[in-house]
Amino acid sequence: MESRKIVLLGPPGSGKSTVAEGVSSKFSLEDLYMGQVLREQVAKETIIGNIVKEYMLKGELVPEDFIFGLAYLLLSSKDNFLIDGFPRTLKQAEYIDGKGVTFNAVLFLDVSEEEVVRRLSNRRVCPSCKAQYHLLFLPSKEGENCEKCQTKLERRADDDPETIKTRFREYHSKTAPLIELFMRKGLLYKIDASLPPKGVLDETVAALNKVFSIQESPKVEAEKEE
Ligand code: AP5
């Protein structure tokens, strides 16, 4: 089997990690989260963590120099993965390409800003096992506690309204240009992320089936989103 390297791209709160959790095991992909890697550095109070914390709390992208090293460690020795949160700038895409990491497809979760604000303001996360919930769409069966490990759920530190606005500004100015880049490379698959979770999952599974069947039978014409 050839390598399977998939990127999840989309605005903050578009459902990237929810989708990653839903499809990774089905396609034997390791799910990787740049945001989670950074939050772990912050929690452990490493030198990197103490520096990147201030950017994350403000909702700004972390400077490239920190991301380059972490991305290389995360991706360079892996063959089958689904990564959420990298690349997030044209420079990051250029950097990892230069390191010989070539992606098979980029799944772009397309959803309006209004909808993601609604999602982020009602998100709850488990500080212990990192499970994610939504007060309306995906509530924990244990109420205010995590249904997997019973820890009290929290709101993520960057989910307050002002920080969400900054995260969006960063997304539009620095991350959105990647859509055009990956479209030109013929790698972009658009997913309607305004659908309920099951609909988004079904579209993602269909897109990945298409990606991998193309990979396994090179003569099949790729039918991609323009
Ligand atoms: P990161 O953790 O990657 O945050 P993000 O991109 O802002 O995305 P989120 O995790 O908030 O949302 P998501 O799209 O995963 O949606 P989710 O599935 O949780 O990055 C955090 C920070 O780290 C950045 O701001 C930056 O500072 C830094 N960083 C990370 N990578 C970097 C990089 N490469 N370069 C520089 N800095 C970097 O869903 C959200 C909510 O909606 C949940 O409650 C969920 O249950 C619910 N939901 C999901 N899908 C649906 C649906 N279909 N319908 C209804 N509700 C839904």
Side-chain angles (χ1 to χ4, degrees):
M1 185 174 73
E2 287 180 51
S3 64
R4 299 178 157 197
K5 300 179 182 181
I6 309 294
V7 173
L8 275 172
L9 180 68
S14 52
K16 300 183 293 296
S17 45
T18 305
V19 163
E21 258 179 54
V23 298
S24 50
S25 60
K26 185 172 167 51
F27 290 92
S28 306
L29 301 168
E30 185 177 352
D31 39 356
L32 306 171
Y33 306 90
M34 182 56 86
Q36 197 53 44
V37 168
L38 292 166
R39 279 187 288 279
E40 275 164 22
Q41 295 285 328
V42 173
K44 287 182 194 156
E45 300 186 359
T46 62
I47 296 172
I48 292 180
N50 288 334
I51 299 170
V52 302
K53 183 180 178 179
E54 61 174 295
Y55 294 94
M56 296 176 76
L57 280 175
K58 284 191 279 183
E60 291 172 9
L61 291 191
V62 166
E64 309 286 27
D65 286 348
F66 298 105
I67 299 297
F68 288 167
L70 291 170
Y72 184 71
L73 285 175
L74 198 60
L75 303 182
S76 60
S77 60
K78 300 209 164 75
D79 275 334
N80 297 296
F81 61 77
L82 182 72
I83 180 148
D84 160 8
F86 181 88
R88 254 178 153 121
T89 65
L90 291 171
K91 275 198 176 147
Q92 291 176 14
E94 206 176 286
Y95 167 81
I96 207 69
D97 192 49
K99 293 288 173 193
V101 176
T102 311
F103 302 120
N104 300 97
V106 176
L107 308 179
F108 167 48
L109 301 194
D110 190 21
V111 61
S112 73
E113 187 163 335
E114 192 190 6
E115 171 64 13
V116 298
V117 169
R118 206 157 64 96
R119 291 181 187 178
L120 290 177
S121 43
N122 288 304
R123 169 165 60 183
R124 293 296 179 268
V125 292
C126 174
S128 175
C129 75
K130 314 298 175 205
Q132 290 213 103
Y133 300 92
H134 188 280
L135 294 181
L136 307 173
F137 308 126
L138 203 66
S140 165
K141 293 187 184 101
E142 298 285 331
E144 290 183 0
N145 295 330
C146 176
E147 60 188 42
K148 294 180 184 155
C149 69
Q150 277 69 52
T151 307
K152 190 163 171 45
L153 300 175
E154 293 177 350
R155 190 171 181 173
R156 219 170 83 177
D158 57 353
D159 275 351
D160 70 283
E162 273 314 301
T163 314
I164 292 174
K165 274 189 208 154
T166 308
R167 286 161 66 195
F168 261 95
R169 267 201 308 275
E170 290 283 269
Y171 169 76
H172 286 301
S173 64
K174 298 176 183 168
T175 306
L178 288 171
I179 299 169
E180 168 72 27
L181 172 79
F182 289 124
M183 197 187 280
R184 263 192 282 114
K185 290 186 169 199
L187 294 177
L188 198 81
Y189 289 74
K190 201 195 267 186
I191 309 289
D192 179 0
S194 64
L195 296 170
K198 166 89 172 63
V200 177
L201 202 59
D202 288 348
E203 281 213 4
T204 309
V205 168
L208 285 175
N209 276 330
K210 206 185 277 180
V211 172
F212 295 135
S213 71
I214 291 165
Q215 223 185 321
E216 275 143 32
S217 1
K219 284 183 191 144
V220 177
E221 271 290 303
E223 187 195 312
K224 295 176 190 164
E225 292 289 341
E226 290 302 321

